[in-house]
């Protein structure tokens, strides 16, 4: 009977996981239509499910939440950036990802120690560390869909990716101090340095090894499968060696983004982009759905103590939000001054409106939940971890207060302040890249003509196609030379491509219909269909 019950619970929880996965897919178009971030909608879905009595309580082991969810999310986020962006933004990232995390941790620890009777200093520091880092997934998922200036998105991505490293190390030091009853400042500093060094070594070694292995694999499917394994391997190996798993994933991902890109490997690039888009959407949805489902634990903790616990949580939320604002104002001013003097090629907010948007984008999420749930139940002497239930409730309150409140109001705030991406600058950069691409194609054509004798008609046709490469990327490029003639060629080309597309579509339908015919070999049909699909892409 017990075994049947356990099996039923397992099936119920599996069904709940499928509901979260379905919600992750549906929340994207719904969020776009409502103008709301998909992670916020998934959190609200989790809250609704948590309030329904027939929905099972999901008990995910705390020590598995970060290893399961963070590696693919971090890897997907790093794919959207580059090492140059990080190198150029070292100063703003340091001020936000390292300095601000320390300041927030200290301020939260001071306030929590003052308002919660009997809370040890180390436990207060642990609370501060777990609520200090804005969530990298929430920040990038929300910011990327609001049309913010790229420089703001770059700063938020850099902050979100690196602040977990600082916060998690501080958290582990504080938890160890509570559990053992001892603390050494110098030992904590040494642990921080060693953690970073180990993570960098692990990330570089795995990145280099994966890059070499990709050359041996060759096949796009196998290469993409390897990219899914690399972030997990980097995280787990670094953690086993007492390093920072987050930093190891970032290092490996940046290495692969920099060195594992083959310009001619079109299929791997297209398939990889699609694959990681799917992974990012599904894992993000599940992560924020689980945040909402954790309302079960918060309700159980607050039973009979709502007023007291809500007051403590509200005070910590106020500290977290205000400290970020009070830190950003002078930090942004200082960064602007240094930027003007040294003319660094870094991304910084250029107005108070952008600074306000950065302030309101500091949402907490997956990492804070995982760290709160990972707090040990007991300390070394066998007694209960001091105020564990209260710390978990406050952490959940901070996550709800920042993620839901700020996430729901951030789109309105962005519209109200009129903060938008510099589309003119983006178009200019796109146009410049189009010109460079066309010139590179023409150079290659001249090199071919120097060693091969091409008929005049073919040479002229290839020259037009080289020019068309740039025009397809940026139609504005046609303004520079023979625009009217080029527009006619583009219209003709579009017509040719439309007709060719319809012809290929008819061919695909015919081949696909053959799949259900008697005696048809599905593998041969799929191979022919794949050939037509690749031809359509080209």
């Amino acid at each position: 009977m017990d075994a049947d019950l356990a099996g039923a619970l397992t099936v119920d929880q599996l069904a709940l996981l499928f509901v979260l996965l379905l919600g992750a897919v549906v929340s994207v178009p719904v969020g776009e239509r409502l103008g709301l971030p998909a992670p916020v909608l998934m959190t609200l879905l989790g809250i609704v499910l948590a309030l329904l009595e027939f929905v099972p309580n999901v008990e995910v082991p705390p020590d598995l939440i970060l290893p399961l969810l963070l590696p693919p999310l971090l890897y997907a986020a790093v794919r959207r950036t580059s090492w140059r962006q990080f190198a150029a933004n070292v100063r703003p990232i340091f001020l936000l990802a390292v300095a601000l995390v320390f300041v927030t941790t200290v301020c939260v620890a001071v306030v929590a120690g003052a308002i919660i009777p009997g809370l040890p200093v180390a436990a207060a520091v642990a609370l501060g560390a777990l609520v200090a880092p804005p969530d990298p997934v929430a920040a990038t998922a929300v910011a990327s869909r609001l049309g913010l200036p790229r420089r703001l998105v770059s700063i938020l991505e850099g902050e979100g990716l690196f602040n977990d490293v600082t916060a998690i190390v501080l958290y582990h030091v504080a938890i160890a101090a509570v559990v053992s009853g001892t603390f050494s400042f110098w030992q904590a500093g040494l642990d921080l340095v060693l953690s970073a060094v180990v993570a960098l070594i692990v990330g570089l070694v795995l990145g280099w090894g994966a890059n070499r292995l990709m050359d041996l694999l060759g096949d796009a499917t196998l290469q993409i499968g390897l990219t899914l394994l690399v972030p997990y391997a980097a995280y787990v190996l670094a953690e086993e060696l007492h390093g920072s798993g987050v930093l190891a994933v970032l290092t490996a991902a940046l290495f692969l983004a920099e060195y594992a890109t083959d310009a001619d490997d079109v299929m791997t690039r297209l398939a990889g982009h699609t694959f990681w888009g799917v992974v990012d959407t599904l894992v993000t949805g599940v992560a924020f759905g689980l945040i909402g489902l954790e309302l079960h634990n918060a309700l159980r903790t607050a039973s009979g103590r709502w007023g007291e616990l809500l007051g403590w949580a509200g005070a910590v939320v106020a500290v977290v939000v205000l400290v970020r604002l009070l830190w950003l104002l002078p930090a942004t001013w200082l960064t602007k001054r240094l930027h003007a003097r040294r003319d660094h090629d870094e991304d910084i907010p250029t107005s108070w409106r952008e600074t306000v948007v950065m302030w309101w984008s500091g949402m907490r999420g997956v990492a804070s939940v995982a760290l709160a749930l990972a707090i040990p139940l007991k300390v070394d002497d066998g007694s209960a971890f001091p105020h564990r239930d209260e710390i978990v409730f406050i952490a959940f309150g901070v996550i709800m207060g920042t993620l839901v409140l700020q996430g729901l109001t951030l789109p309105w705030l962005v519209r109200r302040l009129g903060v938008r991406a510099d589309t003119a600058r983006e178009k200019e950069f796109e146009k410049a890249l189009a010109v460079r691409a066309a010139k590179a194609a023409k150079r290659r054509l001249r090199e071919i003509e120097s060693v091969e004798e091409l008929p005049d008609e073919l040479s002229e046709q290839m020259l037009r196609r080289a020019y068309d490469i740039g025009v397809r990327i940026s139609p504005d490029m046609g303004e520079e030379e023979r625009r009217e003639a080029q527009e006619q060629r583009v219209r003709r080309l579009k017509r040719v491509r439309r007709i060719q597309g319809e012809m290929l579509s008819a061919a695909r339908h015919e081949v696909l219909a053959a799949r259900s015919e008697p005696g048809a070999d599905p593998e041969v049909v799929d191979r022919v269909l794949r050939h037509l699909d690749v031809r359509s892409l080209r």
Side-chain angles (χ1 to χ4, degrees):
M1 184 69 179
D2 292 339
D4 293 339
L5 180 59
L9 289 174
T10 302
V11 171
D12 289 342
Q13 292 182 348
L14 188 60
L16 180 58
L17 175 61
F18 286 138
V19 170
L20 293 179
L21 291 171
L22 177 61
V25 174
V26 175
S27 66
V28 175
V30 172
E32 290 177 352
R33 180 165 296 183
L34 297 178
L36 297 175
V40 176
L41 293 181
M42 283 304 301
T43 305
L44 295 176
L45 173 63
I47 292 174
V48 171
L49 293 175
L51 295 175
L52 299 177
E53 294 184 0
F54 61 86
V55 175
N57 189 13
V58 178
E59 294 291 346
V60 181
D63 55 346
L64 291 182
I65 293 180
L66 285 178
L68 285 176
L69 299 179
L70 269 189
L73 294 177
L74 291 171
Y75 190 88
V78 172
R79 283 173 57 87
R80 297 190 290 268
T81 185
S82 68
W83 172 251
R84 190 218 65 82
Q85 278 191 329
F86 283 117
N89 296 316
V90 168
R91 186 167 49 225
I93 288 174
F94 175 82
L95 288 173
L96 291 171
V98 180
L100 180 54
V101 168
F102 272 104
V103 172
T104 304
T105 299
V106 172
C107 292
V108 170
V110 170
V111 172
I115 64 176
I116 303 176
L119 182 68
V121 173
V125 172
L127 171 61
L130 67 90
V131 300
D135 187 78
V137 181
T140 55
V142 172
S144 61
R145 288 178 169 83
L146 293 180
L148 295 179
R150 181 59 205 172
R151 59 180 173 275
L152 286 189
V153 178
S154 298
I155 297 173
L156 290 171
E157 286 176 343
E159 175 195 12
L161 293 173
F162 279 96
N163 59 25
D164 281 352
V165 177
T166 308
I168 290 174
V169 172
L170 286 175
Y171 167 86
H172 284 311
V173 170
I175 291 296
V178 177
V179 172
S180 65
T182 60
F183 174 76
S184 169
F185 177 82
W186 297 110
Q187 184 63 41
L190 181 61
D191 289 343
L192 177 61
V193 173
L194 290 177
S195 174
V197 171
V198 169
L200 289 173
I201 294 174
V202 169
L204 289 173
V205 170
L206 281 181
W208 179 84
N211 187 24
R212 301 300 292 268
L213 187 55
M214 282 185 181
D215 294 336
L216 296 176
L217 294 176
D219 183 72
T221 303
L222 300 178
Q223 290 177 338
I224 295 170
L226 180 63
T227 64
L228 181 61
L229 298 178
V230 167
Y232 284 109
Y235 189 95
V236 173
L237 182 58
E239 290 291 327
E240 286 295 318
L241 297 175
H242 305 289
S244 169
V246 174
L247 185 57
V249 174
L250 297 182
T251 305
L254 284 172
F255 187 95
L256 290 176
E258 192 76 17
Y259 297 105
T261 301
D262 184 356
D264 294 325
D265 195 355
V266 178
M267 286 302 299
T268 299
R269 188 159 50 251
L270 291 175
H273 179 76
T274 302
F275 172 81
W276 278 103
V278 172
V279 171
D280 193 18
T281 299
L282 294 180
V283 179
T284 298
V286 171
F288 286 94
L290 288 176
I291 290 175
L293 285 169
E294 283 302 322
L295 185 63
H296 274 301
N297 295 326
L299 293 176
R300 185 174 63 248
T301 300
S303 180
R305 304 174 58 193
W306 279 102
E308 182 181 48
L309 289 176
L310 286 176
W312 294 346
V316 174
V317 170
V319 171
V320 166
V321 173
L322 289 176
V323 165
R324 182 174 177 84
L325 176 63
L326 296 176
W327 179 266
L328 278 177
L329 292 175
T332 302
W333 175 83
L334 177 62
T335 304
K336 283 182 182 179
R337 292 290 298 272
L338 295 174
H339 180 85
R341 287 182 182 178
R342 302 179 185 179
D343 194 26
H344 279 285
D345 182 24
E346 64 186 359
D347 299 309
I348 61 173
T350 58
S351 67
W352 67 268
R353 291 181 176 85
E354 294 185 0
T355 301
V356 170
V357 170
M358 278 194 60
W359 162 53
W360 205 243
S361 300
M363 295 159 283
R364 274 60 179 175
V366 180
S368 295
V369 168
L371 294 178
L373 297 179
I375 295 176
L377 297 175
K378 297 183 179 297
V379 298
D380 284 348
D381 62 7
S383 60
F385 192 98
H387 295 276
R388 183 184 188 277
D389 290 341
E390 288 82 356
I391 292 175
V392 172
F393 181 89
I394 293 172
F396 187 83
V398 172
I399 295 163
M400 290 298 101
T402 57
L403 181 60
V404 176
L405 175 62
Q406 292 180 316
L408 288 175
T409 57
L410 184 60
W412 171 85
L413 182 66
V414 170
R415 291 192 299 268
R416 185 75 175 176
L417 295 178
V419 177
R420 286 289 182 270
D422 188 352
T423 54
R425 182 181 177 185
E426 290 180 1
K427 285 184 178 180
E428 281 299 317
F429 183 55
E430 184 181 72
K431 185 177 177 181
L433 286 179
V435 172
R436 289 174 59 182
K439 287 182 177 179
K442 291 177 182 178
R443 281 198 306 271
R444 183 55 184 155
L445 177 60
R446 287 195 295 268
E447 291 172 0
I448 293 173
E449 288 177 330
S450 66
V451 296
E452 295 183 31
E453 185 176 346
L454 299 180
D456 292 340
E457 181 182 349
L458 178 59
S459 179
E460 184 179 349
Q461 181 183 2
M462 291 297 101
L463 187 62
R464 286 199 303 268
R465 293 210 173 178
Y467 186 71
D468 287 343
I469 289 174
V471 173
R472 290 182 195 178
I473 299 172
S474 177
D476 291 343
M477 179 183 159
E479 294 175 356
E480 297 179 358
E481 45 182 291
R482 304 187 303 275
R483 179 163 185 176
E484 274 190 37
Q486 183 58 34
E487 286 179 350
Q488 290 179 0
R489 285 198 297 271
V490 169
R491 284 195 295 270
R492 178 178 173 275
L493 180 61
K494 287 182 178 179
R495 188 178 183 186
V496 169
R497 292 181 67 185
R498 176 180 60 80
I499 296 173
Q500 186 176 355
E502 292 183 9
M503 293 167 58
L504 285 169
S505 176
R508 286 194 298 269
H509 279 83
E510 187 67 24
V511 171
L512 196 57
R515 210 175 193 277
S516 57
E517 294 176 357
D521 188 337
E523 289 191 11
V524 175
V525 173
D526 290 342
R527 187 163 62 243
V528 173
L529 192 61
R530 179 178 174 82
H531 172 79
L532 291 174
D533 289 340
V534 172
R535 181 71 183 86
S536 299
L537 285 175
R538 292 176 179 172

